[in-house]
């Protein structure tokens, strides 16, 4: 009894000493769960949710300006990348002192909670609570939703509020109103069409590393890895990169290379990389085979992000950025073949992730992403009334890669996602290229897309019937998933020479790419239909199907001053 009253007394004094946190202000809300999710009713009160709170950064606009200052070849500071501390601790992305003190030291601590500060950027606080505490903290009603396809369940709050004292000090809380997970853009191993000795005619229908070397002038000779040079390959959703598959791939397709060349493994969020043939992931195998097998001699790290959280996969997208940003020797290239529909993200969350990519660029990292496999209908082919841009390709601080097939001429893949963002406007580096496209297009597609949005993709590479080995089987895969690691490899090879000659790696590529459009092979055939419409056409100059075109290693190298 005595203990109980003591406890009560201390609660009372706490409540008096701290601010009230009693008046709630409505934050984000969605009218209903996205298509495909069934509401199973209130979430179990004792289910655990790891709430991620995005704190406002000191100066995100300053970061964008600093990024362009080091990435625009015309700038005096071109290549003078910033340090981790400059970006994260001192200015730019570091959270405002106000946010930390009020959110952490007053609000959470008044509830007996301690938020964990994110590694790297430091602008996220996470706190694990049960549903009943989360409901109380956010004046919300968490419900359980089941996605019809994989049958996976998610706890989400269709609306949430924050106490008035912290409302302006938190940009977004996840998981609340954002449902979707970053899905693999889904390559499937198709019937074997194996051609080991590439010839011009076989490369028209079947892509191997030898085809890419000949098409894009990519050197075969193994480079000596320059200090700090590497490619980070992102792995999500239990996609495992199989070493035996890599060895068979190199034995078949790179007879001139040591078949024991392999990758290093980095893991976070409980990630792993089991090696049984049945667990080999087509996406992961593709990504390591078309980096190690194309960027000959450049070290590759497979970063396996586990699913050590309760409510979806989006956290992995954020965590990999924070994980890599925390490294002092950040890899100069990161390639990611996963994405989702832009409309499935709230602007608040999308902007926060995009700023993290901006920070990558300012550090000197080229963040390379696939554009998606649904043509103009988004991440995957679906019915739609307006064209659907994909995330994160709409973010103007990364490089988005579309897909082509064939060799004379290279032709846009019909599935190559492309279009214009509804969240981000046209960046300066793209203004002329986008205006030229829009003028030439005239009224075609009008009303179906946002003509003032950032256009994507930026570039393209081969993405059909690309030969891989997965689970012991050799076969072809299709998807922009093929194109991203190929483009990343070309950049990593150029970086190797830059670093070896004492220069900075290329970092954020777009201002340099758009200023050197002639260094890419312009693709002027094909289109990306979707939404029962004809989509955009690949035309002379930049277009939202194949971007500026496919890489020419020699010309890009020259553009880099080598
Ligand atoms: C939720 O967590 C709080 C704080 O730890 C605890 O007091 C409460 O009993 C928990 N509720 C449920 C339903 O698990
Ligand atoms: C994109 O949105 C559609 C519904 O509009 C959905 O069916 C599809 O699963 C989404 N794709 C991804 C990758 O989120
Ligand atoms: C179109 O894009 C602009 C620029 O990003 C944005 O401000 C606007 O809200 C978008 N319009 C729609 C209807 O999404």
């Amino acid at each position: 009894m005595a203990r109980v009253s003591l406890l009560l007394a201390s609660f009372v004094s706490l409540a008096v000493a701290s601010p009230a946190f009693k008046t709630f202000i409505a934050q984000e809300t969605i009218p209903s769960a996205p298509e495909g999710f069934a509401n199973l009713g209130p979430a179990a009160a004792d289910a655990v949710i790891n709430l991620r709170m995005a704190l406002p950064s000191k100066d995100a606009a300053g970061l964008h300006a600093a990024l362009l200052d080091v990435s625009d070849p015309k700038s005096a500071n071109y290549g003078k990348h910033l340090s981790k501390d400059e970006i994260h601790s001192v200015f730019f992305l570091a959270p405002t002192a106000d946010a930390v003190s009020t959110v952490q030291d007053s609000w959470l601590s008044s509830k007996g909670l301690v938020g964990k500060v994110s590694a790297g950027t430091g602008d996220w606080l996470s706190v694990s609570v049960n549903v009943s505490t989360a409901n109380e903290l956010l004046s919300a009603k968490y419900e359980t939703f089941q996605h019809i396809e994989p049958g996976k369940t998610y706890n989400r709050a269709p609306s949430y509020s924050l106490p008035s004292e912290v409302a302006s000090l938190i940009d977004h809380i996840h998981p609340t109103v954002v449902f979707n997970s970053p899905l693999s853009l889904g390559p499937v191993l198709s019937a074997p069409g194996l051609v080991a000795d590439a010839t011009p005619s076989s490369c028209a229908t079947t892509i191997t590393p030898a085809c890419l070397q000949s098409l894009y002038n990519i050197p075969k000779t193994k480079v000596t890895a320059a200090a700090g040079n590497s490619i980070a390959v992102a792995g999500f959703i239990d996609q495992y990169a199989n070493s035996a598959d890599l060895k068979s791939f190199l034995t078949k397709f790179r007879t001139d290379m040591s078949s024991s060349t392999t990758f290093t493994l980095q893991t976070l969020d409980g990630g792993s990389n089991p090696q049984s043939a049945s667990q080999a992931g087509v996406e992961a195998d593709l990504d390591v085979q078309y980096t190690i097998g194309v960027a000959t001699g450049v070290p590759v790290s497979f970063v396996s992000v586990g699913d050590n959280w309760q409510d979806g996969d989006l956290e992995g997208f954020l965590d990999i950025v924070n994980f890599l940003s925390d490294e002092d020797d950040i890899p100069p290239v990161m390639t990611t073949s996963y994405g989702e529909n832009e409309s499935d993200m709230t602007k608040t969350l999308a902007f926060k992730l995009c700023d993290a990519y901006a920070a990558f660029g300012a550090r000197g990292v080229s963040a390379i992403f696939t554009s998606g496999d649904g043509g103009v209908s988004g991440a995957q082919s679906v019915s739609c009334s307006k064209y659907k841009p994909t995330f994160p390709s709409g973010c103007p601080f990364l490089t988005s890669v579309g897909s082509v097939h064939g060799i004379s001429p290279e032709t846009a893949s019909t599935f190559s996602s492309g279009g214009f963002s509804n969240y981000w406007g046209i960046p300066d580096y793209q203004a002329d290229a986008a205006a030229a496209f829009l003028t030439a297009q005239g009224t075609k597609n009008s009303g179906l897309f946002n003509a003032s949005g950032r256009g994507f993709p930026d570039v393209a590479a081969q993405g059909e019937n690309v030969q891989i080995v997965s689970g012991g089987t050799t076969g072809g895969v299709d998807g922009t998933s093929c194109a991203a690691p190929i483009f990343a490899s070309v950049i990593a090879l150029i970086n190797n020479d830059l670093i070896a000659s004492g220069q900075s790696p290329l970092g954020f590529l777009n201002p340099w790419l758009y200023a050197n459009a002639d260094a890419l092979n312009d693709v002027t055939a094909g289109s990306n239909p979707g939404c029962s419409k004809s989509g955009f056409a690949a035309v002379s100059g930049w277009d939202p199907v194949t971007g500026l075109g496919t890489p020419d290693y020699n010309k890009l190298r020259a553009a880099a001053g080598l």
Side-chain angles (χ1 to χ4, degrees):
M1 285 307 266
R3 280 180 59 189
V4 171
S5 62
L6 241 169
L7 242 165
L8 271 176
S10 69
F11 264 131
V12 169
S13 67
L14 237 170
V16 170
S18 19
F21 300 114
K22 287 240 161 68
T23 316
F24 282 86
I25 299 180
Q27 303 293 303
E28 301 176 284
T29 182
I30 49 165
S32 59
E35 223 178 295
F37 287 90
N39 188 338
L40 304 183
D46 60 352
V48 175
I49 297 186
N50 189 14
L51 291 177
R52 310 285 186 116
M53 306 182 176
L55 306 180
S57 294
K58 278 184 184 161
D59 188 10
L63 172 66
H64 305 160
L67 169 65
L68 293 173
D69 192 37
V70 298
S71 313
D72 183 343
K74 290 195 295 291
S75 157
N77 291 321
Y78 181 64
K80 294 183 185 160
H81 301 128
L82 305 181
S83 71
K84 170 176 143 186
D85 287 347
E86 282 172 312
I87 294 168
H88 302 311
S89 330
V90 187
F91 8 78
F92 304 139
L93 279 196
T96 59
D98 228 23
V100 181
S101 63
T102 312
V103 175
Q104 175 80 289
D105 305 341
S106 308
W107 181 45
L108 292 179
S109 75
S110 77
K111 309 282 175 192
L113 299 169
V114 180
K116 185 170 176 284
V117 180
S118 61
T121 52
D123 54 346
W124 287 79
L125 278 182
S126 61
V127 57
S128 266
V129 294
N130 60 31
V131 161
S132 104
T133 304
N135 281 340
E136 188 193 318
L137 276 176
L138 308 180
S139 181
K141 286 194 186 74
Y142 273 87
E143 293 173 311
T144 301
F145 297 86
Q146 185 168 35
H147 192 268
I148 36 174
E149 240 176 42
K152 196 170 170 182
T153 57
Y154 302 85
N155 290 330
R156 291 291 185 275
S159 69
Y160 69 98
S161 301
L162 285 169
S164 55
E165 294 88 340
V166 295
S168 66
L169 301 175
I170 295 178
D171 284 346
H172 177 81
I173 296 190
H174 184 78
T176 52
V177 296
V178 173
F179 277 69
N180 269 17
S181 331
L183 297 179
S184 157
L185 298 174
V188 180
L189 201 61
S190 59
L194 159 65
V195 182
D197 285 319
T199 63
S201 65
S202 70
C203 293
T205 53
T206 309
I207 294 297
T208 61
C211 293
L212 299 170
Q213 288 161 352
S214 119
L215 264 175
Y216 300 149
N217 293 319
I218 300 172
K220 298 181 170 59
T221 323
K222 181 183 176 203
V223 298
T224 304
N229 194 26
S230 68
I231 304 175
V233 170
F236 296 102
I237 55 171
D238 301 334
Q239 278 279 330
Y240 305 125
N242 188 281
S243 302
D245 285 338
L246 174 63
K247 195 175 181 74
S248 319
F249 173 83
L250 293 174
T251 306
K252 277 192 171 142
F253 296 108
R254 286 302 308 267
T255 47
D256 56 330
M257 234 178 116
S258 162
S259 66
S260 53
T261 312
T262 191
F263 52 87
T264 55
L265 175 69
Q266 291 182 287
T267 61
L268 64 142
D269 289 345
S272 60
N273 198 33
Q275 291 298 306
S276 76
S278 64
Q279 286 170 294
V282 171
E283 177 69 74
D285 278 340
L286 163 65
D287 297 346
V288 298
Q289 289 166 22
Y290 279 81
T291 43
I292 292 169
V294 179
T296 316
V298 175
V300 170
S301 166
F302 178 65
V303 187
S304 179
V305 186
D307 37 21
N308 248 0
W309 51 74
Q310 284 73 29
D311 284 287
D313 300 314
L314 189 59
E315 292 84 342
F317 238 50
L318 171 66
D319 290 350
I320 191 172
V321 185
N322 287 335
F323 174 81
L324 293 174
S325 327
D326 202 35
E327 296 186 334
D328 292 317
D329 291 319
I330 192 164
V333 171
M334 175 180 82
T335 179
T336 306
S337 290
Y338 301 80
E340 60 189 296
N341 301 317
E342 184 180 87
S343 57
D344 291 332
M345 304 280 291
T346 60
K347 238 185 192 184
T348 48
L349 181 54
F351 279 26
K352 204 69 187 164
L353 280 162
C354 184
D355 284 344
Y357 301 132
F360 259 43
R363 295 265 310 268
V365 179
S366 307
I368 295 171
F369 286 80
T370 48
S371 69
D373 290 349
V376 286
S377 75
Q380 284 156 328
S381 181
V382 287
S383 64
C384 35
S385 55
K386 286 203 172 184
Y387 294 171
K388 292 176 74 133
T390 59
F391 177 85
S393 283
C395 167
F397 308 126
L398 54 81
T399 300
S400 167
V401 191
S403 170
V404 299
H405 69 102
I407 54 174
S408 53
E410 283 192 304
T411 303
S413 298
T414 54
F415 58 73
S416 184
S417 289
F420 297 85
S421 169
N422 288 316
Y423 286 181
W424 291 276
I426 304 179
D428 284 349
Y429 62 74
Q430 195 185 44
D432 292 346
F437 174 82
L438 292 170
T439 305
Q441 180 182 241
T443 54
K444 195 178 167 231
N445 293 310
S446 92
L448 295 168
F449 70 100
N450 188 334
S452 56
R454 128 101 163 139
F456 71 97
D458 300 296
V459 291
Q462 288 282 328
E464 295 192 36
N465 204 21
V466 173
Q467 297 298 298
I468 68 163
V469 179
S470 191
T473 303
T474 304
V477 290
D478 294 345
T480 53
S481 282
C482 308
I486 294 168
F487 193 83
S489 294
V490 172
I491 297 303
L493 286 169
I494 296 172
N495 277 344
N496 206 73
D497 285 355
L498 285 171
I499 299 169
S501 66
Q503 300 178 64
S504 304
L506 290 165
F508 174 47
L509 300 170
N510 295 5
W512 173 74
L513 287 171
Y514 283 79
N516 289 284
D518 290 351
L520 295 136
N521 309 306
D522 194 5
V523 177
T524 60
S527 63
N528 60 356
C531 307
S532 311
K533 300 281 193 309
S534 56
F536 296 108
V539 295
S540 170
W542 177 86
D543 54 72
V545 196
T546 62
L548 299 166
T550 61
D552 182 313
Y553 169 82
N554 289 336
K555 290 182 183 166
L556 286 167
R557 203 170 174 280
L562 288 163

